[in-house]
Amino acid sequence: MNTRIQARTAAGDTAGDTAADFTGRTLVAGVGNMFLRDDGFGPEVARRLAAAGQRSGLQVVDYGIRGMHLAYDLLAGVDALVLVDTVPPDVRDAEPGSIRILCVRAEDLAQAGPLDPHGMDPAAVLNRLRSLGGKLPPTYVVGCVPADTTEGIGLSPAVTAAVPKAMAAVVTLLEEKVPHPSQEVPPCA
């Protein structure tokens, strides 16, 4: 079944459309804790992308805080990984709801902490892949600067408004990094 993933903007316009099937396996992983308000951003984006439709070779999963589950799925082998999560602000993108696209390389993970089997620290999960017998696939992060990560359920207005933008960013990233079934996923530059 060849379905399409479409991310819609707040106005309802199609922001991206991935029509060709992927070769191999690409994983889009929503990570974060929905009980810490904006930290639930990644799972929300993953749920909406999954509801928009799947295609061959693409798997969209809401991992929440299940870091060990993500590690095991990565050990099974993926050709590319897109993490969707909250990220700290930087000088350019300090406003809550700002979307950032990051490329993750093995050297970026050197300072990661230990893998907690009951929590989710994406850097720790990715850093421990080698010791678990796996390798880091080409990895990207679609991140959103949070406004509120205190206890509670529900995204802030700024982060809620960023969800469709993040969906569009994921689709664009997939189109640019995995454009045709005959091509390999390029590593981060």
Side-chain angles (χ1 to χ4, degrees):
M1 176 185 208
N2 186 6
T3 59
R4 297 171 184 237
I5 291 180
Q6 295 181 341
R8 302 218 179 260
T9 64
D13 300 323
T14 299
D17 181 2
T18 56
D21 286 340
F22 290 112
T23 171
R25 194 164 154 233
T26 300
L27 177 61
V28 176
V31 298
N33 187 339
M34 66 177 267
F35 297 110
L36 297 176
R37 298 197 188 276
D38 287 346
D39 198 44
F41 170 79
E44 180 63 21
V45 172
R47 282 190 296 273
R48 289 194 197 180
L49 282 171
Q54 297 279 337
R55 357 184 266 178
S56 177
L58 178 64
Q59 184 177 14
V60 180
V61 179
D62 166 8
Y63 284 95
I65 58 169
R66 298 172 295 141
M68 203 64 181
H69 186 178
L70 175 58
Y72 285 133
D73 284 354
L74 291 173
L75 287 175
V78 299
D79 297 322
L81 171 64
V82 178
L83 291 169
V84 184
D85 198 3
T86 56
V87 294
D90 71 6
V91 176
R92 296 180 316 257
D93 298 314
E95 291 296 315
S98 299
I99 298 294
R100 294 174 53 202
I101 310 298
L102 307 169
C103 183
V104 179
R105 297 177 306 268
E107 57 267 21
D108 297 329
L109 304 171
Q111 302 299 320
L115 177 61
D116 175 1
H118 304 291
M120 173 56 84
D121 176 356
V125 171
L126 298 176
N127 192 40
R128 297 297 177 246
L129 278 177
R130 182 175 292 171
S131 67
L132 294 171
K135 68 175 193 156
L136 183 69
T139 302
Y140 303 89
V141 175
V142 173
C144 179
V145 175
D148 181 3
T149 56
T150 61
E151 288 184 16
I153 297 175
L155 302 177
S156 67
V159 172
T160 298
V163 170
K165 295 173 191 172
M167 293 172 64
V170 168
V171 171
T172 299
L173 184 63
L174 293 173
E175 288 174 341
E176 291 176 0
K177 299 301 177 184
V178 191
H180 303 289
S182 63
Q183 296 178 335
E184 286 187 29
V185 179
C188 296

